[in-house]
Amino acid sequence: DIQMTQSPSSLSASVGDRVTITCRASQSISTYLNWYQQKPGKAPKPLIYAASSLQSGVPSRFSGSGSGTEFTLTISSLQPEDFATYYCQQSYNTPRTFGPGTKVDI
Amino acid sequence: QLQLQESGPGLVKPSETLSLTCTVSGGSVSSNDHYWGWIRQPPGKGLEWIGFMYYSGSTYYNWSLKRRVTISVDTSKNHFSLDLSSVTAADTAFYYCTRHVFLPMEARHVDSWGQGILVTVSS
């Protein structure tokens, strides 16, 4: 199985801050990397797929980059509704695996 | 707009089979471009992919659950199901039904999630 790691596991930030989350894969996954946002009590929501493609309806302050084994999710200017947990997921092969999550709070 | 809705018992006894159904509206389980599957999340923990299925019958399961899990699709009812046998307390989790993009390949991801259903395994 491909192991996914994320750093940091949690971070505290303020509205307007630029936030970067890193995701690493245990082997090369090309750009088969996706990001999801989950708020408490809710299902995850897709943000970015194929490492850098923005899901329809997602604000442009979210962006993704990377290929191979290292990827980043960037929120250019953190908004109050962005406080949540973020997960990366590889879709290179099965089983699809997720990172452990990064909690972004105030 | 696609909607996915899980249904099934919220409480299952140890050693029994957990059975859930996902009703699809606003889309078709016979889509050529999508897999239909399940992801679970123990309370307060991370996400675990259970597996998915193509409407033609191809199935892909998490090897850690493979001997216990079955995903099936009913095109006549436009729904799909999960059966997980011999459950233990470790199977207590929120279970999400999901749609996975199959084509184009480079865009493979989960593009739609149900609201989730909590299933507790307890006697």
Side-chain angles (χ1 to χ4, degrees):
Chain A
D1 298 3
I2 298 174
Q3 306 302 315
M4 307 300 294
T5 59
Q6 289 180 233
S7 60
S9 56
S10 65
L11 65 90
S12 296
S14 300
V15 172
D17 284 354
R18 181 181 182 88
V19 170
T20 298
I21 299 169
T22 298
C23 175
R24 291 184 175 86
S26 59
Q27 66 180 74
S28 177
I29 57 172
S30 183
T31 56
Y32 290 100
L33 189 284
N34 311 305
W35 291 96
Y36 304 91
Q37 176 195 65
Q38 187 178 33
K39 296 181 180 179
K42 299 293 186 182
K45 169 188 169 184
L47 290 178
I48 288 172
Y49 63 93
S52 61
S53 295
L54 207 61
Q55 183 78 14
S56 175
V58 173
S60 59
R61 62 180 180 273
F62 290 93
S63 63
S65 64
S67 66
T69 62
E70 188 158 332
F71 304 86
T72 59
L73 171 69
T74 300
I75 309 172
S76 60
S77 178
L78 199 66
Q79 298 301 300
E81 60 268 30
D82 301 337
F83 291 96
T85 300
Y86 294 85
Y87 293 94
C88 63
Q89 179 222 16
Q90 63 83 15
S91 51
Y92 181 78
N93 64 9
T94 59
R96 302 285 197 252
T97 45
F98 291 87
T102 295
K103 185 176 181 181
V104 177
D105 58 21
I106 300 173
Chain B
Q1 182 173 344
L2 183 78
Q3 289 194 319
L4 306 176
Q5 179 66 58
E6 304 90 349
S7 60
L11 181 64
V12 180
K13 290 182 168 54
S15 80
E16 295 188 344
T17 296
L18 178 162
S19 295
L20 298 174
T21 296
C22 182
T23 300
V24 179
S25 56
S28 171
V29 297
S30 300
S31 166
N32 290 324
D33 298 336
H34 299 97
Y35 289 119
W36 304 90
W38 297 88
I39 291 169
R40 71 179 182 177
Q41 184 175 38
K45 297 189 177 180
L47 299 162
E48 180 181 30
W49 179 81
I50 297 172
F52 51 44
M53 180 174 186
Y54 196 56
Y55 79 97
S56 63
S58 301
T59 53
Y60 303 82
Y61 299 135
N62 193 325
W63 68 267
S64 67
L65 301 170
K66 186 170 185 176
R67 290 175 299 171
R68 299 195 291 132
V69 66
T70 302
I71 296 174
S72 58
V73 171
D74 187 331
T75 55
S76 66
K77 296 181 179 178
N78 208 37
H79 73 204
F80 60 101
S81 301
L82 169 70
D83 287 323
L84 183 65
S85 63
S86 305
V87 296
T88 69
D91 295 309
T92 294
F94 289 93
Y95 285 77
Y96 296 99
C97 62
T98 52
R99 187 178 78 170
H100 301 243
V101 173
F102 170 56
L103 293 173
M105 281 186 60
E106 59 271 20
R108 300 188 297 209
H109 70 290
V110 182
D111 71 342
S112 190
W113 301 67
Q115 66 182 23
I117 183 170
L118 176 62
V119 180
T120 301
V121 178
S122 174
S123 55

